[in-house]
Amino acid sequence: PDASTEQAAAAEEEVHLKQDKLVLLMLQNQPLSSCLLSAMQVTLNWLDNLCHIKCSQVASKFVAFIAKYRMQHLYGDCAKIFKCALNALSRNVLGDNQANAELNMLCVTICQLLGSQCHHLLIEVLQTVPNVDMDDAKSLCALITAVPGKHPNATYRQNIKSFTHKYIIGKQNILSQK
């Protein structure tokens, strides 16, 4: 049993390494990366929550690589994906746990990994959310602009989840089109 478990883990690690290599190759090709990031935005605008789940997972991996390799030319696309994820959440209801969780995790990934690099773009997106309490806005902006590693992952997850539950989920396309 232990040998088969180790083999399965090794095989899974190999798959992840291949996926990582593929993502990096795609991101290094400017026309391809622009096309893929645009496709993610379109997919997040669909009404199918199953698509949101898969797209959020893929987009999170892309965002992680964009942040890791500081691909500044793609930061604007990441901010657009952030807005699309918030918009998708606005069409969902609180009971749709899996889709909401994946979309929230995408928002967490974007805020946590890109906040220190392009916080102005992310804050611009958040400014399109109406009726946000000043204390909530300050708290979220402080989290986004924080030095990487200052806050644990759980803090990002909890704050983004609280924000989206309070201001986004179920509000039906609440984001203005700034």
Side-chain angles (χ1 to χ4, degrees):
D2 290 329
S4 64
T5 304
E6 287 179 19
Q7 286 176 335
E12 188 173 324
E13 180 65 24
E14 185 178 341
V15 167
H16 285 292
L17 290 173
K18 286 180 181 179
Q19 288 174 344
D20 290 353
K21 184 177 180 179
L22 183 61
V23 168
L24 187 56
L25 288 171
M26 286 188 277
L27 286 172
Q28 288 174 338
N29 181 321
Q30 178 68 34
L32 180 59
S33 62
S34 293
C35 179
L36 290 168
L37 293 169
S38 293
M40 288 176 198
Q41 293 169 43
V42 169
T43 303
L44 288 171
N45 283 322
W46 291 347
L47 297 177
D48 183 359
N49 282 346
L50 184 58
C51 290
H52 295 164
I53 293 167
K54 298 297 181 190
C55 183
S56 295
Q57 293 166 346
V58 172
S60 290
K61 185 171 275 284
F62 272 69
V63 167
F65 274 85
I66 290 167
K68 181 178 179 179
Y69 294 103
R70 297 188 176 270
M71 298 176 167
Q72 295 178 6
H73 62 285
L74 298 175
Y75 290 171
D77 289 310
C78 292
K80 290 176 187 172
I81 288 172
F82 182 48
K83 185 169 185 169
C84 290
L86 291 175
N87 231 350
L89 280 165
S90 78
R91 292 188 305 267
N92 290 352
V93 294
L94 287 175
D96 193 356
N97 294 333
Q98 188 176 7
N100 290 349
E102 292 296 341
L103 288 164
N104 272 322
M105 283 308 299
L106 174 57
C107 293
V108 167
T109 300
I110 291 169
C111 290
Q112 186 175 18
L113 298 181
L114 291 175
S116 65
Q117 297 172 33
C118 63
H119 59 271
H120 60 286
L121 294 174
L122 304 181
I123 291 171
E124 279 181 29
V125 170
L126 292 173
Q127 288 174 337
T128 65
V129 180
N131 306 318
V132 176
D133 180 74
M134 184 60 75
D135 290 336
D136 290 338
K138 285 180 182 178
S139 172
L140 196 55
C141 288
L143 190 68
I144 289 171
T145 59
V147 175
K150 180 179 179 179
H151 301 289
N153 292 343
T155 301
Y156 282 92
R157 282 194 303 270
Q158 184 55 46
N159 285 359
I160 296 291
K161 182 178 178 181
S162 295
F163 181 84
T164 58
H165 275 59
K166 188 172 183 178
Y167 297 108
I168 307 287
I169 296 176
K171 304 291 193 244
Q172 293 303 314
N173 301 319
I174 196 167
L175 302 184
S176 63
Q177 298 300 315
K178 281 187 181 179

